[in-house]
Amino acid sequence: MSGPRLVDVHPAWLPPEAFRAVGSRRALVCGAGTLVGTVRHELARACARYGGTVAWQPGSGPVDAAPEHRTGGVNLVLALSTAAPLPAPAAEVAGECRRRYGAGALGAEGFALARTGDVTVVLAEEPPGLLHGLFHVIRLGESAFGAARGQERHRPAMRLRMLDHWDNVDVHRVTGQVERGYAGGSIFWRDGSPRGDLARVPDYGRLLAACGVNAVSVNNVNVHATEARLLTDRLGDVAAIADVLRPYGIRVHLSVTFAAPVVLGGLPTADPLDTEVRAWWAATTRQVYDRVPDLGGYVVKADSEGQPGPFTYGRSHADGANLLAEALEPFRGVVHWRAFVYDHRQDWRDRSTDRARAAFDHFAPLDGRFRANVVLQVKHGPMDFQAREPVSPVLAAMPATRLAVEVQVTQEYTGQQRHVCYLAPWWSEVLGFAPWGDHRTVAALAAGDVGEGGGLVGVSNVGDDPFWTGHPLAQANLYAFGRLAWDPGLGPAAVLDEWIGLTFPPGPAGGHDLVRRTLHEMMDGSWRTYERYTAPLGVGFMVRPGHHYGPDVDGYEYSPWGAYHFADRDGVGVDRTRASGTGFTGQYPQPWRDVYESLDRCPDDLLLFFHHVPYGHVLHDGSTVIQHIYDTHFAGAEEVAALRRRWDRLDGLLDPGLHARVRERLDEQVRCAEEWRDQVNAYFFRKSGVPDARGRRIP
Ligand code: GCV
């Protein structure tokens, strides 16, 4: 039912012990189909280890049961509501569910959970719901089998919860096998070909399903020559991955090049309004679906950082996206069209062009012009996954367009999986942001509670590293991405707690409370720690150009990439006001257009994103900008040193390989945080000439 497993790969949040509670029960599974098979397989594996049993009732007909099941005594039932006859406890839950919510209330992926008498029941209307229900019970552990629990209904907030792999098939001369990948090679591709075997991919699908992810795009949005062919003569490689992920309810998406009709089809143009181009996409897409009938759809980066797009033909991005949407529509496929469009060849002397404005300027006027199966995929901030940015104003500007929010799980700008940086608090802030200052949040927009809803997309942080994510603690970001896409209302600390509980269940070495406490101390506030020792007050970048690791305050200052801080001897920051700057604040609705415009009301943590201020400008906490820079950089580096010390407490309590890997990464984080502290402080001391009020050494 599942492929062979690699023994030397870390199980992440699914170690065998996480299955102890279900594996020691007598379970009954009711229903049929591939995903129900996966549920049975998971239970069978757990029961073989922990002494429980699994019986199966495929639908109508006899129960395939061990003798103890025939005489009752089942204490876990996982049932599809369509299975007949439903065993009594499941029928009870189904009845109550219908009474409370009406028919169809669980949806394709939802489930109901209840404990009646001494039976825990998971009821779903469709197989994906049953699989999610199983993983929920695993998350609950023994507490799923404790006191009676009233009926709970669980449904994902977002229909689409997708990870985009920026994996190249060929090793790219600049970006390597995985663009912005910090966890080794790709789990799908190696040196121009699919990996010889996909043994690890089922385990990956299992991890994703267990945190709620339901879609994966398998290649980089920068589509080079070899990757382009995944759409045509190398489609079999995509089909093979889809086959392996399907049993875990994960649908595959494919990144395609807009120039495909030219580079693959031999046509003279890729003009979206050309009839031959339309026919080419229609025919090609038909062949794709013949081979992969449940393909989720296409992902497209167009007119961005050198990728081809409709601008070449004088067409709009609505024309471009609709072309592909039309081809996908008969197969219920979706095109994820990225809004990351800006001029990456800007003249740094040109103060009127503002990269932050670009996505809104290009896309907001197109609202209402996209077909229903276009999802506009918008980076959460207007720049590029910095440790602090405001929420993109595009999200509030397109009520008649399906919008997906894109976050970066891979830590390109947040320490590249060498630094501990738990990102869930950042994503929670983004998802909880209310663009109109009322109940309508970014999460509601992505979920479709407001507007059309396109889901949550994360750039994957997984590679072929034995710990999946390079830094073992970065697994928590992958887990949290899935959980927040399922339920954006979950608290980041609670999600971390779940991850800790699953990943480090009580073991023979004891010390479980210490492990839990220490990991919370290290990770809960780690994003803010990272923010403290890197670029200050929302100004962003200041990283080394190209690879983006470590400090280089002026690295992008005189470059064509549009990422400037404008520091001089008097002050720092980007004037994006309507009054005197680029006018970017005007892209927000009220109240934010005025809040960000106002020097007094603008939140300190975004001050330099919106305003150019003197070093002596006084922040809301009474500190000056220059003193804030010194204080936060000293504090951030000290906090990292404390993280490093805390980790030593866990020596002997965790797997030695894991402990050593984290220790080695923490040593690098300490070094790098000191480098950031010293470069940023020295730079601003030299520019401003203002000494540190506390007299600390600045090199
Ligand atoms: C895949 C940033 C990254 C690029 C990435 C791009 C994008 O610019 O540095 O590596 O390209 O974002 O999101 O398309």
Side-chain angles (χ1 to χ4, degrees):
M1 218 169 285
S2 167
R5 307 202 50 205
L6 299 183
V7 284
D8 57 348
V9 171
H10 189 254
W13 53 90
L14 292 182
E17 304 88 87
F19 291 76
R20 182 183 293 276
V22 292
S24 54
R25 258 62 195 201
R26 286 188 300 275
L28 172 64
V29 179
C30 308
T34 307
L35 269 65
V36 177
T38 305
V39 170
R40 287 170 51 215
H41 172 77
E42 289 291 340
L43 285 168
R45 185 155 65 174
C47 289
R49 181 179 282 264
Y50 292 110
T53 54
V54 194
W56 178 41
Q57 178 192 307
S60 50
V63 177
D64 159 24
E68 63 271 28
H69 284 95
R70 288 190 211 116
T71 55
V74 167
N75 38 32
L76 172 62
V77 174
L78 291 118
L80 282 184
S81 56
T82 48
L86 277 177
E92 230 177 83
V93 173
E96 160 112 22
C97 197
R98 259 195 314 275
R99 269 193 303 282
R100 270 215 231 166
Y101 310 112
L106 300 175
E109 295 189 290
F111 59 91
L113 174 73
R115 182 149 175 90
T116 62
D118 59 358
V119 185
T120 299
V121 177
V122 172
L123 182 85
E125 279 154 8
E126 296 189 34
L130 209 62
L131 188 62
H132 290 304
L134 170 70
F135 283 120
H136 188 68
V137 172
I138 290 162
R139 225 177 349 255
L140 293 173
E142 276 305 323
S143 69
F145 302 95
R149 23 169 97 223
Q151 193 174 123
E152 299 163 14
R153 182 170 63 150
H154 296 261
R155 291 179 306 173
M158 323 254 177
R159 267 197 308 267
L160 189 114
R161 308 176 299 279
M162 173 160 84
L163 282 166
D164 281 3
H165 279 253
W166 286 355
D167 297 16
N168 298 313
V169 179
D170 272 333
V171 176
H172 187 265
R173 72 194 153 70
V174 179
T175 60
Q177 187 77 71
V178 180
E179 182 157 352
R180 312 307 179 187
Y182 311 106
S186 163
I187 60 166
F188 300 131
W189 317 104
R190 183 188 287 150
D191 293 337
S193 306
R195 292 182 69 110
D197 71 81
L198 292 174
R200 197 165 170 175
V201 179
D203 281 358
Y204 182 48
R206 183 169 178 251
L207 282 180
L208 296 188
C211 67
V213 169
N214 65 358
V216 150
S217 82
V218 296
N219 62 305
N220 191 359
V221 290
N222 289 327
V223 182
H224 311 290
T226 303
E227 292 77 14
R229 292 169 48 205
L230 295 174
L231 183 65
T232 51
D233 60 310
R234 295 193 59 169
L235 181 59
D237 300 343
V238 178
I241 297 172
D243 288 346
V244 173
L245 290 175
R246 191 171 292 116
Y248 283 97
I250 313 289
R251 287 174 87 177
V252 159
H253 294 239
L254 184 64
S255 293
V256 299
T257 171
F258 191 75
V262 177
V263 298
L264 301 171
L267 297 185
T269 178
D271 182 348
L273 301 191
D274 182 278
T275 40
E276 272 191 73
V277 168
R278 288 172 62 191
W280 187 87
W281 275 110
T284 303
T285 303
R286 200 172 315 117
Q287 282 164 13
V288 168
Y289 277 85
D290 281 348
R291 195 74 195 272
V292 190
D294 56 354
L295 188 93
Y298 300 147
V299 180
V300 187
K301 171 176 177 177
D303 290 317
S304 171
E305 300 183 335
Q307 291 296 301
F311 286 165
T312 308
Y313 309 98
R315 310 297 185 198
S316 76
H317 276 242
D319 296 330
N322 289 342
L323 164 76
L324 273 67
E326 180 186 49
L328 287 160
E329 201 269 336
F331 313 99
R332 309 173 77 157
V334 167
V335 57
H336 280 249
W337 191 269
R338 296 180 81 230
F340 185 59
V341 178
Y342 72 102
D343 179 5
H344 73 291
R345 297 207 176 90
Q346 188 182 327
D347 183 344
W348 60 268
R349 300 166 195 84
D350 163 19
R351 297 287 292 255
S352 65
T353 303
D354 179 3
R355 173 170 165 180
R357 292 187 58 112
F360 182 104
D361 286 342
H362 287 302
F363 286 95
L366 302 178
D367 187 34
R369 290 188 39 205
F370 293 97
R371 296 175 78 108
N373 60 330
V374 175
V375 169
L376 189 67
Q377 191 166 307
V378 184
K379 286 194 182 187
H380 68 79
M383 292 297 278
D384 196 2
F385 300 137
Q386 299 305 291
R388 177 74 72 173
E389 289 186 47
V391 162
S392 169
V394 175
L395 295 170
M398 304 193 65
T401 305
R402 282 172 77 182
L403 298 174
V405 178
E406 186 180 306
V407 299
Q408 199 179 39
V409 189
T410 195
Q411 291 173 237
E412 176 178 359
Y413 291 102
T414 50
Q416 304 201 346
Q417 278 132 261
R418 291 189 241 178
H419 296 212
V420 179
C421 187
Y422 177 54
L423 289 163
W426 183 206
W427 301 331
S428 282
E429 271 194 29
V430 169
L431 293 167
F433 181 77
W436 298 274
D438 57 17
H439 67 283
R440 294 170 291 171
T441 59
V442 167
L445 277 163
D449 300 338
V450 172
E452 303 293 321
L456 192 68
V457 179
V459 183
S460 166
N461 64 348
V462 162
D464 67 0
D465 177 83
F467 292 103
W468 297 96
T469 52
H471 198 311
L473 303 187
Q475 290 170 10
N477 285 331
L478 182 62
Y479 182 82
F481 168 78
R483 294 293 288 139
L484 291 178
W486 180 281
D487 181 357
L490 292 171
V495 172
L496 183 64
D497 206 55
E498 279 179 8
W499 176 77
I500 296 170
L502 287 166
T503 310
F504 304 102
H512 186 63
D513 288 345
L514 181 63
V515 171
R516 193 180 283 273
R517 198 171 60 245
T518 303
L519 286 171
H520 274 292
E521 284 167 5
M522 291 178 65
M523 296 173 74
D524 281 334
S526 54
W527 160 57
R528 289 205 167 76
T529 295
Y530 185 84
E531 185 186 20
R532 277 182 203 116
Y533 62 80
T534 55
L537 296 165
V539 78
F541 289 88
M542 299 191 173
V543 288
R544 300 234 167 93
H547 57 64
H548 297 166
Y549 184 73
D552 185 345
V553 179
D554 278 342
Y556 277 101
E557 199 55 18
Y558 306 101
S559 81
W561 294 91
Y564 314 121
H565 54 68
F566 300 120
D568 57 25
R569 64 179 185 175
D570 300 318
V572 56
V574 190
D575 184 352
R576 293 193 161 104
T577 63
R578 306 191 283 291
S580 52
T582 68
F584 172 70
T585 58
Q587 294 186 341
Y588 288 88
Q590 293 291 16
W592 296 105
R593 57 188 284 122
D594 285 352
V595 169
Y596 292 145
E597 177 78 8
S598 155
L599 194 51
D600 287 343
R601 295 170 67 204
C602 182
D604 286 342
D605 52 22
L606 289 171
L607 182 71
L608 302 184
F609 193 94
F610 286 105
H611 297 273
H612 185 88
V613 297
Y615 293 115
H617 174 84
V618 179
L619 300 172
H620 292 108
D621 67 2
S623 177
T624 60
V625 164
I626 190 71
Q627 194 56 42
H628 173 92
I629 291 174
Y630 298 149
D631 288 347
T632 49
H633 284 76
F634 280 115
E638 274 164 27
E639 285 163 24
V640 174
L643 289 186
R644 173 70 188 81
R645 287 193 297 275
R646 286 199 170 103
W647 186 247
D648 279 347
R649 289 191 209 149
L650 303 187
D651 200 3
L653 296 178
L654 302 175
D655 168 70
L658 185 143
H659 191 270
R661 172 70 76 89
V662 174
R663 186 177 52 223
E664 160 236 310
R665 304 262 152 156
L666 283 167
D667 286 342
E668 165 55 16
Q669 186 174 2
V670 169
R671 186 206 64 75
C672 192
E674 289 174 358
E675 183 75 24
W676 269 100
R677 175 196 65 197
D678 292 342
Q679 283 206 25
V680 171
N681 283 347
Y683 178 95
F684 284 104
F685 174 56
R686 291 176 194 180
K687 280 268 169 194
S688 69
V690 180
D692 172 30
R694 293 172 59 194
R696 289 162 293 195
R697 194 182 91 81
I698 294 178

